[in-house]
Amino acid sequence: MKVHHIGIAVKSITKAVKKYELLGYKVEKEIIWDKQRNINILFMTNGTERIELIETVDISMESPVKNLLYLKTNMMYHICFETNDIIKQITQLQSQGFVIINKPDKAPACEEKTVAFLFSRETGVIELIEVRGN
Ligand code: NI
C-alpha cells in the first residue's frame, strides 16, 4: 500500500517545523485546527514524502496524542496508508488481527477525506485514508 504520510506527535509545531525544514521539508499548507480531536495539524513535504505534525491544542482536554506529551522527545505516531475502499480494507485488516481505534470519519486536515485508525502489536498505530481512483 502506498504511504500517504507519516504522522509525528510533537509538543510544538512551530519548533518542530524549523527542524524538519533543515531536513529538506517545506510547509505544504497552513496549520489546520481539528476542533473535534483537539489537535493542530501541519503537513510538510520534501516533494516525495509527506509528514504530518500533530500537537495537542488544549492540554487540559483529551486528544489522540496527549499521552505522548509526557515523553521527552517528539515521536512517530502512525504511518498512513492510502486505500481506495476504506471499509473493505478495514474488514480485511480486522480479520487479520488489527483492532479499530478510530472508526472511519472525515478529516478536516485532509480535505474531508475519510480516515480511520487501527492498531496491531506488530505495527503499532496505522491510519488509512480513502483516496479515490488509486
Ligand atoms: Ni495522519
Side-chain angles (χ1 to χ4, degrees):
M1 294 168 79
K2 191 178 168 193
V3 172
H4 184 271
H5 64 262
I6 292 174
I8 302 155
V10 302
K11 292 182 203 301
S12 157
I13 285 181
T14 318
K15 287 182 182 170
V17 159
K18 291 176 186 154
K19 290 293 194 302
Y20 281 103
E21 281 174 346
L22 295 174
L23 297 169
Y25 285 83
K26 289 191 168 67
V27 171
E28 198 172 36
K29 50 188 177 184
E30 75 280 13
I31 293 175
I32 309 271
W33 177 37
D34 186 333
K35 186 181 179 185
Q36 192 195 329
R37 297 179 179 84
N38 182 32
I39 49 178
N40 281 327
I41 291 172
L42 180 73
F43 282 100
M44 298 181 80
T45 181
N46 64 3
T48 315
E49 275 88 41
R50 184 183 294 113
I51 58 173
E52 173 190 35
L53 305 180
I54 310 147
E55 74 179 2
T56 300
V57 177
D58 179 350
I59 57 164
S60 67
M61 288 164 55
E62 277 311 308
S63 101
V65 293
K66 190 179 172 185
N67 289 342
L68 303 174
L69 285 174
Y70 302 108
L71 300 172
K72 284 202 169 139
T73 61
N74 296 340
M75 66 177 290
M76 203 195 91
Y77 163 50
H78 63 262
I79 301 180
C80 177
F81 298 94
E82 295 184 359
T83 174
N84 55 15
D85 188 339
I86 199 165
I87 301 298
K88 193 171 146 195
Q89 193 69 59
I90 288 170
T91 309
Q92 222 166 45
L93 291 173
Q94 279 181 312
S95 75
Q96 298 297 320
F98 279 82
V99 175
I100 194 153
I101 52 178
N102 284 108
K103 288 180 186 156
D105 200 2
K106 304 284 177 204
C110 293
E111 296 88 34
E112 302 295 330
K113 289 191 175 82
T114 304
V115 302
F117 287 85
L118 292 95
F119 172 85
S120 79
R121 280 182 193 276
E122 294 79 13
T123 60
V125 175
I126 66 155
E127 180 181 15
L128 297 176
I129 184 165
E130 190 165 68
V131 178
R132 292 287 172 186
N134 193 32

